[in-house]
Amino acid sequence: MARKCLILGGPGTGKSTSISTLDPKSTFIINCDEKDLPFRGCNSSYKAIYTDGKFDLQKSNIYNTTKPNIIISLLQTISKSRPDIKVVVLDTISMMMVAEYMDKAKEKGYDKYTQFALDVFNILKCIDQLRDDLTVFVFSHTETVIDADGVRMTQFMVPGGKLVNDKIKPEGMTTIVLYTDVVVEQGTPKYYFNTQNNGRNTCKSPIGMFEDLRIPNDLNLVLNKINEYYV
């Protein structure tokens, strides 16, 4: 069973930048946002290679798509035929849902929301079936809601409907959920991950995995902590 970790936070809070510390030789990015990565050298480090006009998965380490079936196929194929890949980053599952929502914006009824929920569920469950030495980071945006007690809560964002959070509860499908945190220090923004729940979000991590409540937004650091914890 592969390990999975949710990285939650708003746009511009350091999710994609955190990829910069990973080794591109052992990392594959499923780029649902379909935009350039926000760090120097990204285009030379992460390339989609085409042979005779067809995408060559064996030579590539990035692919742009918002299609859930393609995401699942990529995860399964990487697990089976790319032993050199140890980390997959899905950036972001939110944009996958937004693309689905816009494709079906004119459709009436609730069937499309059921499909959103099913796609998220299938992707997160698919990760559980991948090889043991693979870690998958799933990035998502967040939204603020009011719970039944009137408390403002930050959680996994679902565009256009509540079925994913009401029934699927993505945070409940993984042991590690980190939240981005931006702190302005002496006029300069510093980017971090929070490792534990503050009472008003769904952040969590296993006891003792991280020594601090706030760590640098460094995915390689997170990867090493996960690997050390589960040795």
Side-chain angles (χ1 to χ4, degrees):
M1 180 171 65
R3 300 182 185 116
K4 59 177 177 263
C5 172
L6 289 179
I7 305 289
L8 306 186
T13 57
K15 296 186 301 299
S16 298
T17 301
S18 69
I19 298 171
S20 65
T21 60
L22 292 172
D23 183 356
K25 293 180 181 178
S26 58
T27 302
F28 193 101
I29 301 171
I30 301 176
N31 186 14
C32 298
D33 286 3
E34 298 182 318
K35 64 184 181 183
D36 288 335
L37 298 171
F39 52 86
R40 291 184 184 275
C42 60
N43 291 329
S44 59
S45 299
Y46 292 96
K47 295 181 179 181
I49 306 299
Y50 289 81
T51 303
D52 297 328
K54 294 183 179 180
F55 177 69
D56 192 334
L57 179 58
Q58 298 304 314
K59 296 180 180 179
S60 302
N61 60 356
I62 190 170
Y63 188 76
N64 295 352
T65 185
T66 59
K67 302 298 183 182
N69 60 320
I70 295 178
I71 292 171
I72 289 175
S73 178
L74 284 168
L75 289 169
Q76 292 173 335
T77 304
I78 290 168
S79 179
K80 292 177 182 177
S81 66
R82 291 291 305 273
D84 56 313
I85 297 298
K86 305 300 182 183
V87 179
V88 178
V89 179
L90 177 54
D91 182 14
T92 61
I93 200 170
S94 303
M95 191 52 65
M96 179 202 79
M97 289 188 285
V98 168
E100 278 195 288
Y101 180 74
M102 296 307 296
D103 285 344
K104 300 178 179 180
K106 294 184 178 180
E107 293 184 12
K108 296 182 179 180
Y110 291 94
D111 288 350
K112 59 186 176 183
Y113 301 119
T114 301
Q115 188 62 51
F116 296 163
L118 183 62
D119 289 335
V120 172
F121 178 82
N122 286 340
I123 288 171
L124 294 179
K125 290 303 293 182
C126 167
I127 295 170
D128 293 336
Q129 308 305 315
L130 306 180
R131 56 183 160 83
D132 293 348
D133 66 340
L134 197 60
T135 299
V136 181
F137 292 103
V138 179
F139 291 179
S140 175
H141 295 159
T142 54
E143 61 183 351
T144 301
V145 299
I146 307 297
D147 70 9
D149 298 319
V151 177
R152 294 174 64 86
M153 290 286 295
T154 304
Q155 63 182 22
F156 186 101
M157 187 196 81
V158 183
K162 297 182 178 181
L163 186 58
V164 172
N165 276 327
D166 288 350
K167 301 299 182 183
I168 304 302
K169 299 188 183 303
E171 294 97 328
M173 297 179 69
T174 182
T175 306
I176 310 165
V177 181
L178 305 183
Y179 269 67
T180 59
D181 189 11
V182 183
V183 179
V184 177
E185 300 175 356
Q186 297 180 340
T188 302
K190 302 292 185 180
Y191 298 89
Y192 299 96
F193 290 141
N194 289 331
T195 63
Q196 293 293 338
N197 194 305
N198 65 4
R200 286 181 285 184
N201 62 27
T202 55
C203 183
K204 61 180 180 178
S205 60
I207 297 173
M209 177 175 283
F210 301 101
E211 294 83 4
D212 301 312
L213 295 179
R214 180 189 289 160
I215 62 174
N217 67 326
D218 179 337
L219 271 195
N220 192 59
L221 169 66
V222 176
L223 176 66
N224 288 337
K225 290 294 184 180
I226 292 173
N227 289 337
E228 290 169 5
Y229 193 86
Y230 288 112
V231 168

